[in-house]
Amino acid sequence: MNLEEYKKQYKKDQAVGALSIENRLKEVYGTLEPRFYSPQITSFQGGNDPIDGVAVYDVNGYYHLVSYGMSHLYYSEESVGAEFSKWGFEFSFRVKPIEEDNGEDPFWVIQLMNNLGRFVNETKVWFEEYQFLPLGGPIRAESDTDIVGLAFVKDNDLSEIETPHGKVIFMQMIGLNSQQLKRLEEKSTKEEIMSVIDEIKSVNPKFICEL
């Protein structure tokens, strides 16, 4: 798509990139409607949170959360024809609900996505497949979970999309326990990361985090 085609197809008040993400989610989930959470003031309006929205789907006993904000969400003539849309990815995370939350959505995951988004915006270092990240403590604050790290892999269900602003990869965060994280810290090769991910996948093919 060139700039002239872009101008003809979209209006300046349209969230062009967000629409591309939404369409991909509809391809996967059909008529299943997510709950959608946005900050009171979006980044587009000058807010402090890098993530302008998170869709939360109820799927077979777990939540699937997908971010809106690491790619260009809004009308942007400057972004037309780029290889990647902004940082080129959106966060994805699957997690089982816990009884103590009494049915409340996992807002701590939204906070985690925002914290990681701030890290990317500030350092200009983005996340790619087969990377890992120590969290410096439990993935959920004030929790005794042994999930203390993350690995990143392309979300098998959402994969990637081509938007008018460039490619967007849906990057799934995989929870790592202390033993898995120690193993990767001692040997931080791509092969070792892939080995750990394959071991998790053999017993947890959707990479659903369980605290």
Side-chain angles (χ1 to χ4, degrees):
M1 176 178 288
N2 60 38
L3 183 56
E4 288 307 310
E5 292 170 335
Y6 186 85
K7 288 180 177 180
K8 286 180 182 178
Q9 186 167 342
Y10 300 106
K11 298 178 181 178
K12 291 189 176 181
D13 62 351
Q14 280 188 288
V16 180
L19 184 61
S20 297
I21 297 171
E22 185 178 302
N23 288 340
R24 183 69 184 109
L25 289 170
K26 284 181 178 177
E27 287 176 7
V28 173
Y29 285 120
T31 57
L32 182 64
E33 287 292 328
R35 292 177 296 283
F36 196 82
Y37 297 98
S38 296
Q40 287 187 331
I41 303 174
T42 66
S43 64
F44 184 68
Q45 299 165 320
N48 295 321
D49 288 340
I51 305 299
D52 276 1
V54 176
V56 182
Y57 288 88
D58 282 322
V59 191
N60 299 326
Y62 66 87
Y63 300 120
H64 187 194
L65 294 90
V66 180
S67 73
Y68 286 65
M70 301 309 294
S71 59
H72 282 301
L73 300 181
Y74 308 104
Y75 185 95
S76 173
E77 294 180 4
E78 298 78 15
S79 305
V80 176
E83 183 179 1
F84 292 97
S85 177
K86 197 176 176 179
W87 296 112
F89 73 94
E90 291 292 349
F91 292 114
S92 163
F93 192 66
R94 290 174 170 82
V95 62
K96 279 194 176 182
I98 59 173
E99 189 175 340
E100 298 84 71
D101 286 344
N102 297 313
E104 184 179 81
D105 281 327
F107 296 109
W108 62 271
V109 178
I110 298 175
Q111 184 179 6
L112 174 63
M113 289 178 172
N114 271 305
N115 288 340
L116 294 176
R118 288 189 190 93
F119 169 83
V120 172
N121 288 343
E122 291 168 5
T123 65
K124 314 301 181 191
V125 176
W126 58 91
F127 298 112
E128 296 181 316
E129 196 168 26
Y130 307 125
Q131 290 182 329
F132 77 96
L133 178 72
L135 295 173
I139 191 171
R140 179 173 179 172
E142 300 176 1
S143 168
D144 61 357
T145 179
D146 189 42
I147 303 299
V148 291
L150 290 173
F152 297 88
V153 67
K154 187 186 292 185
D155 189 309
N156 279 337
D157 290 339
L158 301 178
S159 188
E160 62 185 62
I161 54 174
E162 291 290 345
T163 79
H165 304 148
K167 183 186 294 185
V168 176
I169 298 168
F170 293 94
M171 199 66 67
Q172 183 170 354
M173 303 183 289
I174 303 171
L176 300 174
N177 62 35
S178 56
Q179 185 178 5
Q180 291 161 343
L181 179 61
K182 182 181 179 184
R183 180 174 155 190
L184 294 182
E185 287 178 326
E186 291 175 348
K187 187 179 180 182
S188 303
T189 63
K190 180 180 177 180
E191 290 74 20
E192 190 68 13
I193 297 169
M194 291 176 70
S195 176
V196 170
I197 289 173
D198 284 343
E199 288 173 15
I200 297 171
K201 188 175 183 179
S202 68
V203 294
N204 183 8
K206 291 285 189 182
F207 301 114
I208 302 165
C209 183
E210 190 167 358
L211 300 182

